[in-house]
Amino acid sequence: MKYIRILLPLAILAASLTSCRKEPVLTAEKISLITSRYELILNTSSDLSRFPRTISKNGDMVTTNKWDWTSGFFAGNLWYLFELTGNEKWKNEAVKWTEALDSVQYWSGNHDVGFMINCSYGNGLRVAGNEEYKKIIVQTAESLCKRYNTNTKCLESWDYRRAWNDTTEWFFPVIIDNMMNLELLFKATTFSGNNRYGEIAVQHALTTMKNHYRPDYSCYHVVDYDTITGNVLDKATCQGFTDESSWSRGQAWGLYGYVLCYRYTKDPQFLSFAENIAGFLLNHPGLPEDLVPYWDYNVGEKGFSPEWKYDPSDYPVILRDASAAAIISSALFELGTYSLSNGRKYRATATRILKSLASPVYMESTVDKYFILNHSVGSIPHKAEVDKPLVYADYYFLEAVLRQERLNSYAGYTIPLY
Ligand code: GLY
């Protein structure tokens, strides 16, 4: 009996992994399309102080400085292209674009340093074993932890600012996106032996569970805190349809965030929380057939609060957000390796999403000659990057592609997905 209890789950896991071996989503032709677009980016953007982010209305390259939250994704994409093709030229470029972010490690101006440094240096360490990157990750964690408050028990995302209505003040705003910065903190604990970074990450995740999430496992975008009492002052949106709606990329960040918390802690409450979020996302009646969500799960829903943050007549067609789909796909591949009962379903769903994204609808464009995926949304309420390619959509798409390939070639007892 004892042996059955041990062997049965292993047998189920092995069977589900075997049955998930499939053809790669990207054909050689598609890989060549992707590499030609990134070659064009490199030829167009050789200034290492300007980081490719999206395209303008005319299809021209739009870049940012290194303090923008998206600055690390371009280097990350170059690391992923090196992994995808094995061609050293991508690695050489990746090193240059990663190291161009060196001074970000000392910055504590907002929470995004986790995105910026983990996607660049984190991948450089993982892919090329650049050991000296460890101390940059630890220093970045030190900078990020300056934003931790022992009363609110979480990391502040943005400094003081006013909300949409230009009246409500946010004193300690925390956005769901912040869950993504925890990966860097967990790594910093591993590299330095200092438990404080990982403990702050766990506490942030627990506070977010309590205050950002609704009973149906959808989440608010922004929660504002009183820094003295730690009480919640406001729950709202910034990039979503309404305060009470479910902004799609925010839901995706939350899913990915709790999966990574489980990766580092093996605390079952994070696993079941991630599974509950996945349940909300995948069973939502508003999810389109191709599993690429609209930019907000509730946009256009009849009877939903009309307190919307944008004028629907500006955007008569309800747009998708390919970036949210790519993040969800990548997270589901990893979640699929942890969940004994739903693993196969998550991996199959992640693959379906990838196939949709790799289809001509999202990958072929008459406007964009630079990036991989079209039809993402930066922020509709800000009228910014509406129905555009985005460097971070490409990042999570490539990550998901590589995760699917690693799962396909699984032949051992551990699955090195990250
Ligand atoms: N982290 C900002 C965004 O998802 O738009």
Coordinates of all heavy atoms in Angstrom, one line a residue, residues 69 111-112 115 175 177 239 247 249 253 378 392, ligand 1:
W69 N 10.3 50.7 -17.3 CA 10.1 49.3 -16.7 C 10.4 48.2 -17.7 O 10.6 47.1 -17.4 CB 8.7 49.1 -16.1 CG 7.6 48.9 -17.1 CD1 6.9 49.9 -17.8 CD2 7.0 47.7 -17.5 NE1 5.9 49.3 -18.6 CE2 6.0 48.0 -18.5 CE3 7.2 46.3 -17.2 CZ2 5.2 47.0 -19.0 CZ3 6.4 45.3 -17.8 CH2 5.5 45.6 -18.7
H111 N 9.2 49.9 -8.3 CA 9.4 48.4 -8.0 C 9.9 47.7 -9.3 O 10.3 46.5 -9.2 CB 8.1 47.8 -7.6 CG 7.0 47.8 -8.7 ND1 6.0 46.9 -8.9 CD2 6.9 48.7 -9.8 CE1 5.3 47.2 -9.9 NE2 5.8 48.2 -10.5
D112 N 10.0 48.3 -10.4 CA 10.2 47.6 -11.7 C 11.6 47.0 -11.8 O 11.9 46.3 -12.8 CB 9.9 48.5 -12.8 CG 8.4 48.7 -13.0 OD1 7.6 47.8 -12.7 OD2 8.0 49.9 -13.3
F115 N 11.8 43.4 -12.8 CA 11.6 43.1 -14.3 C 12.9 43.4 -15.0 O 13.4 42.6 -15.8 CB 10.6 44.0 -14.9 CG 9.1 43.6 -14.7 CD1 8.2 44.4 -14.0 CD2 8.6 42.5 -15.4 CE1 6.9 44.0 -13.9 CE2 7.3 42.2 -15.3 CZ 6.4 42.9 -14.5
I175 N 0.7 47.6 -7.1 CA 0.0 47.1 -8.3 C 0.3 45.6 -8.4 O 1.3 45.1 -7.9 CB 0.3 47.8 -9.6 CG1 1.8 47.8 -10.0 CG2 -0.2 49.2 -9.5 CD1 2.1 48.4 -11.3
D177 N 1.2 43.8 -10.7 CA 2.4 43.6 -11.5 C 3.6 43.3 -10.6 O 4.5 42.6 -11.0 CB 2.7 44.8 -12.4 CG 1.5 45.5 -13.0 OD1 0.4 45.4 -12.4 OD2 1.7 46.1 -14.1
Q239 N -5.1 50.7 -15.5 CA -5.0 50.3 -16.9 C -6.2 49.4 -17.4 O -6.3 49.0 -18.5 CB -3.7 49.6 -17.2 CG -2.5 50.5 -17.3 CD -1.2 49.8 -17.1 OE1 -0.6 49.9 -16.1 NE2 -0.7 49.1 -18.1
W247 N -8.6 43.5 -15.3 CA -7.6 43.9 -16.4 C -6.8 42.6 -16.7 O -6.2 42.0 -15.9 CB -6.7 45.0 -15.9 CG -5.6 45.4 -16.8 CD1 -5.7 45.7 -18.1 CD2 -4.2 45.5 -16.4 NE1 -4.4 46.0 -18.5 CE2 -3.5 45.9 -17.5 CE3 -3.5 45.4 -15.2 CZ2 -2.1 46.1 -17.5 CZ3 -2.2 45.6 -15.1 CH2 -1.5 46.0 -16.3
R249 N -3.9 41.8 -18.4 CA -2.5 41.6 -18.1 C -2.2 41.5 -16.6 O -1.4 40.7 -16.1 CB -1.6 42.6 -18.7 CG -0.1 42.2 -18.7 CD 0.8 42.9 -19.7 NE 0.8 44.4 -19.5 CZ 0.1 45.2 -20.4 NH1 -0.5 44.8 -21.4 NH2 0.2 46.5 -20.1
W253 N -0.2 38.6 -14.7 CA 0.9 38.8 -13.7 C 0.7 38.1 -12.4 O 1.6 37.5 -11.9 CB 1.1 40.3 -13.4 CG 1.6 41.3 -14.5 CD1 1.1 42.5 -14.6 CD2 2.6 41.1 -15.5 NE1 1.8 43.2 -15.7 CE2 2.7 42.3 -16.2 CE3 3.4 40.0 -15.8 CZ2 3.6 42.5 -17.3 CZ3 4.3 40.2 -16.9 CH2 4.4 41.4 -17.6
G378 N -1.0 48.3 -24.5 CA -0.3 48.8 -23.3 C -1.3 49.3 -22.3 O -1.5 48.7 -21.2
Y392 N 7.6 43.1 -24.4 CA 7.4 42.1 -23.3 C 6.5 41.0 -23.8 O 6.5 39.9 -23.2 CB 7.0 42.8 -22.0 CG 5.9 43.8 -22.0 CD1 4.6 43.4 -21.8 CD2 6.2 45.1 -22.2 CE1 3.5 44.3 -21.8 CE2 5.1 46.1 -22.2 CZ 3.8 45.7 -22.0 OH 2.8 46.6 -22.1
Ligands
GLY1 N1 3.8 46.6 -15.6 C1 3.1 47.5 -16.5 C2 2.2 46.8 -17.4 O1 1.9 45.6 -17.3 O2 1.6 47.6 -18.2

